[in-house]
Amino acid sequence: CPTLYAAGTIDGAFVWGGVMESMKGLGATMMLVPAKMLSDWEKATFNTISVRDAFAADHSVVVERIAGVVARLDADYLDEDSNLWDPQDATDFLASVASAYGDFPASPLPAEREAAADALALFEFVDPTAMQGSDYLGGGTAAALRETADFLYDIGRIASVAPADRDDVDALYVDTTTAQFLEDGLIAVGVDVLGADDDLNLATIPEDADSICSGTVDLTATGTLSDGATVSYSNNLACEWRIASGGVVELTFTVFRVWTGDVVEVFDGSALVAKLHGFDRAWPPLRTTGDMTVKFTTDGVTERAFNYVLTDGWSATYDAAASACDATYCGAHGTCGASGLCTCDAGYGGADCSLATCLGTATLTSPTGEFRSSPTAPDRAVPYPNSAECHFVADVGTSFGYVSFTITYDVEPTFDFVSANSGDVTWARLSGEETTTILVPTTDGKASLVFTSDSRGRRGGFRATYVAKSVACASNADCGGHGTCDDGGTCVCDAGYGGLACTVPHCLDGAPKVTGESMVVVSQAPGEPVPAAADCTWEFQATAGRSVRVVVETLDLEPKRSDAKEGDRVVIRSTGATDIELTSTSFRKSYDVASSGISLSLETDRNDVDKTYGGFKATAYAVDACPVVGGNCTDQGFTCELTSGLQGPGCYDGGRPVGCACVLTGCPVGSFFDESTGGCEACPPGTFKSAAGPTPCEPCPKNFYAPESGAAMCCRHGYVLVDGFCRECGENVANYTLKGATCDAPSGTTVATLEIEQGYFRFSPDTTFLYPCPEDDNACRGSSPAAKGYGDGLCYTHAHGPLCMLCEEDYFRDNKMLDAPSKCVSCDRTGVQLRQLYTVLLMIVLWALVILGIRRLQSRFERQWFMAVLIQCVYFTVTMSRFVSIHQVPLPPVSKVFMRAFDVIAFDLSSLHSLARCWGWVDNYFNFLLWVTLVSPALLLVFVVGAVVRAVSRVACSATAPPQNALAEEGAAAEAVPLHRRVAAAVRQDLGGVLSKWMLLISLFHSAICCAIFQIFNCTAEYEPFGRSFLMYDYSIQCSGRTYGAYRAYAIVCAVIYVTFPLCLFLVLWQPRRLEPAWQERSKDPRHVDDGALAFLTKNLKTEYWWFEVLAIFLRSLVTGFFRHLGIKMSIVISLIITIIHRTVVLQLKPYASSGLQHVVEALMRFALSIVLVAVCLVGDLITEGDNATAIVTFVFLLNLSCLPIAYQAFVSESYRSVAQRLKARQHVKFEELEALLESAHAEAVREDVRKVSRDILKEAFRGTVSEQDWTYFTNNLLALEGVWAPEVHAEEVLQWHVESMLARAKKAGGDGGAIDAGAVERSVDIVVGPLGETLMEQSLSPSKAYEQLASPSRAGNAPVTLERVYAEVLSPFFQLDDGKTQKRWHSRKENPVLHLATMARTKSDKISTSLANLHSPPKSPTSPSSFSLSRRSLALSGVPSARSLLRQELEEPDADAPTREENLASGMAHLRRAVRKITIARVFASPRKPLRLERFMDLSLIAHDYNQRAQARIAGTAEGVLAEPRGDDVKALESFDNGTDQPALRSAELVAFKDKVGGAALESELDASVCVGALHDLANAAFPAFRAALAKLFPPGTEGIELECDADVAIKKKTRMRAKVDEKSREGAPWPRAEKLSDCLRASVVVEGAEHVVTAYEALAKGDGPFKVVRLKNKLAERAKPFNLHVNLAFQPPAPLAPLIVEVQIVPKAIYNDQKAFHRLFSIAREPKYASFRGVRARAAEASPEAADDGGDVEAPAALPPGRHARVAPAPLQSLQSFFGRSRRPG
């Protein structure tokens, strides 16, 4: 009725009182009251007739008629004389009532009519006249209706007794209620109306109708849908139609009459399009994209009219191929979308947006938008429809994690709702009237609102705007003023506030799931009421295997009266368990749930009947699961805590909560329930109670006693009564540490009379906390009859203090070496002191001997290796010694001796405590802390001062000032060096070594220093009963007070300094690597990063792991007590983790460059891990004391001593030795193996070995004796070692071996030593210096400029300007110091080149001046025997003039006046004196300037260039021999000619027109490189078979003296080479298409025996009767020009339809062909001036293989390079001979 009333279908109704309230809310103001019903709740409810004011005014007769009939029925029923209600009369009203409602057959039996009469008797019919009185029910009809509303409100069926906008509720009922129609109607309706005949003859209301729809029907195209009924549809239908379509489906209803409770639903996929019901409703058309689903469902209620036939049902037409929308279709309230459907404005619905209310699903995809239930919502003047369901989807995309809805709503409270959803989760249900903001997380980028209304009551609706957000909150302002935004972007709400944005002052349906240890649940904010009609749910998940305890703090809810939503309740739910219901009467405060996950739900009814409740507050804790599911607490040996523990009342195992069942109502053990006090009282002495519960205390049995009250049991001998329980003496149980106590007193033992054993200590007579004294100390003697049984009474003589660990004045604690306990010894016993002192001194001597022995080893490799091992052993012993000491590991005797030895080896200064105490140096730990932390800076100061004093004294002792520049040429005037510069140089020389030694000492003992600092945090546990703790290192210091706090602060500062010391080292090492340009590329050469004083940290590591030793220092400092303040066990466990990490890093990274050192470190790390594991087992009691522990620990220690033979084996098996031997034997070594060694300490030695082998291979390549296997190994493996060839060294170190050959080539190129011109200089560059030419240009050392300087008038002299002098001028700067940057490296005297000078002087005294010129050549590597090969060393020592001498000789101009013998002698003496002075200065000063540098690869490239030049000369000689043969003149007679070699296929006007059409000049290069080259390459591919066949026909296999070389991979020119040639033509300015100049897209080589066959082969090609026609000939053989062959271009006509091609054939004498192989191999090395360019060529060759094998043969270099071009040719990879012969550019 309310639905029909709201829809305007009806204007009045005869309804029940509950519906009356809804009708009143809809504006039904005139209500007729016909009866009063007695309900089961003994409250009066009423049936009412509710009509609109307008209907009553317009149709008062109708209202009177209805009211009159009802009044007549009431009056007749009350009339005792009426016979209409007789159950015995089968024709009267009762029979009609019985049959009409379907309870009985159409002709009810008397019994059935009796039942109907009994049902009517439940109603109290009221006389109509009485109802009109003002005193009716104490206030008239209005009062009766108010009472009904109050009753409905009381039972929670309605949210309020009147609309929210009415303040005076009573006035509402008076104003809107009247019984006047009853009186008027009673007059208008006569009595005879009840006796009138029934013209309808209605016997019953039909229970079903005639529908035929059922199941699912699939439809397509167009058609009609209906419910299938003729008159009325049936009950309980479930029909479905699916309309398939690939486009737009439109559904239009033609008839629609569907009762409330029945519904027609339309879906687009899973999205609701519409949910419809109503009578004669005109619904707009509905549309979907794709398939449409229509569902029709009905309930079991039959709705039919009594007085006339009313047809119900629906029908509709559908079109599965409807046209898409347009602007006209969507009208004024929508826009046509891309999908073909209209997007309606907010509040409008329907396919054409014509319905002024929401309908189905509305989706917006923008980040912001608006939704409404109707266009004007919220507006009560235009209320929303009943039974509505609308979905509003904000599809903001997955880039947003949240959607914030701001909702203004006015909906019927607790009946209609606006829900905020994410996926299937409802986060909030809003009802009533309010504006709020709800934040919802997105699911697949979507969040939605759902608006639902019931079948009664309407309000104004809602309006919502939304904004997409990436995070829940960015600041506290986003948390609604009732929460804070945490670092994760989530609001943490204040207690009682709901929603992700904390905007609602009560809980909501959804809340984020909480995992972890606890969750707090609050139903509403302070001062707020319990939310009505709520279904708040909180979820809590503990970790797997645990259970949950819910502790209730507040449970103040409306009492629960029934299961029909009357009252409030809380339900605890968990999987597989029965729900636990909590109501206002629940008294328990703690609930254990045997599940790791629970949900708490607060379910409330619609109102709290004008009362305010405190709500619900609880905390869910994660507790340990009960060992037995559902087990009893006490059965499991646990304790039930009646008062709240940390996790509330419940079961506890000590302090650990356990989820076992507890009885929380009885008294605990040792107490009984005292009715007089109403509580639990302790059992009196002599009685006990051993179980919780209401049982009384019992007396003790015989021979047992309970001397104190509150006993849980009576004790026998061997036990002591503590806190009411018997505790066994000699054992530690729970919080009672009685190990070390005996209980043998005849009359029983109390706490005060405990006897303490030797080795144990307690502080008070009333404590049961006994503490073991240190095992290595015997000061604790135990109880004595003559002394008190606690404190100092337990100590031996001269000992006192906590655990008897302090000695009296003038006594010290003797730390013995062997396994004998320490004790207090008098300072008068000097022998003990001397023993300790001698031990330390002996270790110092032994260390000195070890170091001296290592330094005297002959091999540098052995010295470095053993020194590195020694450093690692010191690291290990210091760290492990301090680890065991600070963690007080109780080692067995043998292992303890072993660790004591470690202490001595590692210079444990605690061994000198006796001297320090007795002599007053260090009397407590605080002084020791100061001494340890300040000795390092003091030592540094001493070192620096010593270095300065030494330097000053050395300078002061020098007789004369040495020359300022030790590198001045002979004859230069010596200048006096200022004193301050001499002092600075001397200090700089010594300071590096001083700093290096100091840094080494600090790093070696860094962990010991840190351990001493960490001792201040190493406090004992708080000793009971005083709660005081002491410093374990010094028991005279309490860990409290101002003094301790001050030193603790100092220690913290020191800890920060020393613990971050490795970080400082890291930064110092990292800084030059960060600043070094291109360090990544040169990282394999450690000489490029000089670490100075910190080199000891990096020199034994691989380059990329330069940081590892710093990390190791840091990790070792953590192991030596950094975490000691967390407790011994925790610190040891963390140390174990750190050690495992350290060892894992060592094993995985293998950071040490030496494989032998790596093995040693691995062994030491295994030993360290074993010690830490032993500590874990001993401290954690995994290994108990006794023989087993001794055997196990001793075995572990002895097993780890295997590190010694492992270290020796690692030394013997050092991988460098094997590699060096194999390289020397010319056995191939894997590339990976060499790469690994280049990162080792032997990198320089490996580099020189590789270079020597490479030089030998180049020599063999020149001789033609190298095997293909060796050459491949050389190019692919040895030349791939970037660490060998890429490092830059002093240029002199490279060039000194090539100056002689360069000058020789210059002399040869210059002719007979005559004068030259600039052109000759330009042409000579490539021949003379080869790959060095590019470097000369980079350094501005151009030979042309040198020539101009020598030829200038200022330099003109007697001697002519020769090429030798030009190149001597060019090369001389490489042998002098540049005026550039200062050197970064300090050279020690050992590295000074003076040593080289001395060697040279001993060899030949007359070469001393030449050697002095070499004084500042770069030092030899300290890791290799020589920087050069033995042959080069022999050359240096043989007296052959050096590079400097040769250059000087060339630069000196001849003197017309030859010096006399005396003048020569005087000059020699002067040179000798200057040399001596240079030696003196060189020993003091390092080079202040940086010389020029070259790559090591330049050395190899120059060697290859020299061999290459000689190979070319040899090839030229071979060519002369061929021409000298009998038919040589015929070869010479073949003249070169050129008839044009443009490719015919590309000479096309159409091609040019195509180019102009698609882009013109802008696309010339692209078309040339892609289209033209591609077409030419494809044509060559297609023509190749015919080309090879035609040549094979001319030169068949087996032809005498002629061989054809025509393989496809070489014969067909590759695209990359073709494009390169096109680019070159483009740079030369050739016309387009430049690809037509490619005359060698197909090529072949003809290898012949001699001159005769050269002529024969050419004549065969030149016949012209086949597919070939010669168009060009280059007779390079006759012209004696490279490459000494006949270069023939032919026009080749392949089979149709292929276009003709210009091809190339080279005719080469076999002698030249074979000799060119050596030239080609050498050229592949000599042509590259830098290693990077060489590797680039190799890389490009690898990437483009086999394409990179292609070398063009159509480019011809001039005989001499043009001006400005020097020795730099386009790089080409090393490939086959055919490819090589295709090159006519002048190589190298």
Side-chain angles (χ1 to χ4, degrees), residues 1243-1304:
E1244 189 57 35
V1246 173
R1247 290 189 184 98
E1248 185 51 39
D1249 292 338
V1250 172
R1251 293 182 195 124
K1252 185 177 184 304
V1253 172
S1254 300
R1255 291 194 294 267
D1256 293 342
I1257 291 178
L1258 287 181
K1259 183 185 295 184
E1260 293 176 5
F1262 169 70
R1263 295 174 177 173
T1265 59
V1266 68
S1267 65
E1268 189 67 32
Q1269 182 181 8
D1270 284 351
W1271 183 259
T1272 302
Y1273 171 70
F1274 167 63
T1275 55
N1276 291 346
N1277 286 45
L1278 299 185
L1279 287 183
L1281 297 171
E1282 183 178 354
V1284 174
W1285 308 109
E1288 292 182 350
V1289 296
H1290 296 258
E1292 183 177 353
E1293 189 174 343
V1294 174
L1295 296 182
Q1296 62 181 324
W1297 314 108
H1298 303 285
V1299 170
E1300 184 177 6
S1301 60
M1302 289 184 196
L1303 295 180

Side-chain angles (χ1 to χ4, degrees), residues 4-12 26-30 50-57 458:
L4 298 178
Y5 183 86
T9 304
I10 63 174
D11 291 308
L26 295 175
T29 57
M30 305 302 293
S50 301
V51 296
R52 300 181 197 274
D53 287 339
F55 183 85
R458 298 188 298 172

Side-chain angles (χ1 to χ4, degrees), residues 616-955:
F616 173 65
K617 181 178 181 181
T619 303
Y621 294 100
V623 301
D624 292 346
C626 187
V628 177
V629 177
N632 184 271
C633 181
T634 56
D635 291 346
Q636 305 301 318
F638 305 142
T639 305
C640 289
E641 294 290 344
L642 304 184
T643 58
S644 296
L646 291 178
Q647 284 79 30
C651 185
Y652 286 85
D653 177 13
R656 178 178 67 98
V658 184
C660 298
C662 261
V663 178
L664 303 176
T665 56
C667 288
V669 295
S671 63
F672 68 100
F673 184 74
D674 189 344
E675 294 183 358
S676 63
T677 62
C680 297
E681 302 296 337
C683 293
T687 63
F688 74 100
K689 178 185 172 185
S690 59
T695 58
C697 299
E698 301 177 13
C700 291
K702 186 178 181 180
N703 297 327
F704 284 79
Y705 62 93
E708 298 176 346
S709 61
M713 61 186 69
C714 298
C715 302
R716 54 188 174 87
H717 288 295
Y719 289 81
V720 62
L721 189 64
V722 182
D723 297 334
F725 294 90
C726 293
R727 305 296 179 184
E728 183 178 1
C729 293
E731 299 292 336
N732 293 336
V733 180
N735 293 327
Y736 303 95
T737 56
L738 295 172
K739 187 175 183 179
T742 58
C743 305
D744 297 330
S747 59
T749 303
T750 64
V751 173
T753 60
L754 283 173
E755 297 180 8
I756 310 302
E757 297 175 358
Q758 183 180 2
Y760 288 87
F761 187 90
R762 71 169 176 167
F763 289 86
S764 170
D766 56 356
T767 180
T768 58
F769 289 90
L770 274 66
Y771 301 97
C773 298
E775 294 184 359
D776 56 354
D777 197 291
N778 67 346
C780 298
R781 65 180 178 184
S783 297
S784 172
K788 56 187 179 182
Y790 63 94
D792 294 344
L794 300 174
C795 302
Y796 277 111
T797 308
H798 308 305
H800 66 96
L803 275 62
C804 305
M805 289 300 295
L806 301 180
C807 292
E808 297 177 354
E809 189 175 358
D810 295 332
Y811 282 81
F812 69 92
R813 192 163 298 280
D814 178 19
N815 295 320
K816 294 186 177 181
M817 180 68 185
L818 299 178
D819 185 37
S822 300
K823 60 182 180 180
C824 292
V825 179
S826 174
C827 289
D828 295 335
R829 296 178 61 181
T830 56
V832 177
Q833 302 177 42
L834 291 177
R835 185 192 66 201
Q836 295 185 358
L837 181 60
Y838 290 157
T839 302
V840 175
L841 294 177
L842 178 62
M843 289 311 304
I844 294 176
V845 172
L846 290 178
W847 273 113
L849 292 176
V850 171
I851 295 174
L852 182 62
I854 293 176
R855 294 177 66 88
R856 292 182 63 86
L857 292 174
Q858 293 184 355
S859 169
R860 180 185 296 271
F861 162 74
E862 293 177 351
R863 291 197 300 270
Q864 288 186 334
W865 195 90
F866 281 107
M867 185 59 70
V869 170
L870 179 62
I871 290 174
Q872 293 298 325
C873 290
V874 172
Y875 282 147
F876 165 75
T877 54
V878 171
T879 304
M880 289 296 101
S881 167
R882 278 24 175 214
F883 167 80
V884 172
S885 172
I886 198 169
H887 291 100
Q888 297 178 312
V889 180
L891 292 172
V894 177
S895 304
K896 189 180 298 182
V897 172
F898 193 87
M899 292 309 301
R900 285 279 178 88
F902 270 21
D903 294 343
V904 177
I905 293 173
F907 296 104
D908 184 2
L909 298 180
S910 62
S911 301
L912 301 178
H913 278 186
S914 61
L915 297 175
R917 181 174 175 82
C918 290
W919 292 88
W921 299 340
V922 179
D923 57 354
N924 62 20
Y925 167 76
F926 290 152
N927 295 335
F928 177 71
L929 174 65
L930 294 175
W931 190 89
V932 169
T933 54
L934 296 179
V935 69
S936 299
L939 189 62
L940 175 61
L941 181 62
V942 171
F943 278 17
V944 172
V945 171
V948 173
V949 172
R950 181 176 182 273
V952 172
S953 63
R954 191 170 67 251
V955 173

Side-chain angles (χ1 to χ4, degrees), residues 1002-1036:
I1002 295 301
S1003 65
L1004 287 175
F1005 295 98
H1006 177 262
S1007 58
I1009 298 173
C1010 291
C1011 180
I1013 297 172
F1014 298 151
Q1015 289 284 6
I1016 202 168
F1017 309 106
N1018 184 15
C1019 294
T1020 65
E1022 290 189 353
Y1023 291 133
E1024 297 295 340
F1026 307 113
R1028 289 180 294 194
S1029 60
F1030 299 89
L1031 200 64
M1032 282 194 172
Y1033 193 82
D1034 187 347
Y1035 276 81
S1036 66

Side-chain angles (χ1 to χ4, degrees), residues 1133-1319:
V1133 170
I1134 296 177
S1135 299
L1136 174 62
I1137 296 173
I1138 293 173
T1139 307
I1140 292 174
I1141 292 173
H1142 191 176
R1143 184 171 185 266
T1144 302
V1145 173
V1146 170
L1147 294 176
Q1148 294 298 320
L1149 297 184
K1150 296 188 181 302
Y1152 292 94
S1154 167
S1155 60
L1157 182 59
Q1158 175 70 29
H1159 289 315
V1160 172
V1161 175
E1162 289 177 5
L1164 292 176
M1165 287 305 304
R1166 182 174 66 250
F1167 200 169
L1169 180 60
S1170 300
I1171 293 175
V1172 178
L1173 284 173
V1174 166
V1176 171
C1177 295
L1178 292 174
V1179 175
D1181 293 331
L1182 299 178
I1183 301 178
T1184 57
E1185 298 181 5
D1187 295 338
N1188 291 336
T1190 301
I1192 294 174
V1193 176
T1194 302
F1195 173 75
V1196 171
F1197 272 68
L1198 293 177
L1199 182 64
N1200 279 281
L1201 287 178
S1202 62
C1203 65
L1204 297 177
I1206 289 177
Y1208 176 75
Q1209 182 63 30
F1211 167 73
V1212 173
S1213 62
E1214 181 66 60
S1215 57
Y1216 164 69
R1217 297 169 176 268
S1218 171
V1219 170
Q1221 292 174 357
R1222 283 183 285 163
L1223 284 174
K1224 186 176 181 180
R1226 297 294 295 277
Q1227 298 176 1
H1228 293 179
V1229 182
K1230 292 183 179 180
F1231 174 78
E1232 295 78 7
E1233 193 172 358
L1234 290 171
E1235 277 281 294
L1237 279 177
L1238 287 176
E1239 301 173 8
S1240 69
H1242 320 299
E1244 189 57 35
V1246 173
R1247 290 189 184 98
E1248 185 51 39
D1249 292 338
V1250 172
R1251 293 182 195 124
K1252 185 177 184 304
V1253 172
S1254 300
R1255 291 194 294 267
D1256 293 342
I1257 291 178
L1258 287 181
K1259 183 185 295 184
E1260 293 176 5
F1262 169 70
R1263 295 174 177 173
T1265 59
V1266 68
S1267 65
E1268 189 67 32
Q1269 182 181 8
D1270 284 351
W1271 183 259
T1272 302
Y1273 171 70
F1274 167 63
T1275 55
N1276 291 346
N1277 286 45
L1278 299 185
L1279 287 183
L1281 297 171
E1282 183 178 354
V1284 174
W1285 308 109
E1288 292 182 350
V1289 296
H1290 296 258
E1292 183 177 353
E1293 189 174 343
V1294 174
L1295 296 182
Q1296 62 181 324
W1297 314 108
H1298 303 285
V1299 170
E1300 184 177 6
S1301 60
M1302 289 184 196
L1303 295 180
R1305 287 195 295 272
K1307 182 176 182 180
K1308 182 178 180 180
D1312 297 330
I1316 59 172
D1317 56 12

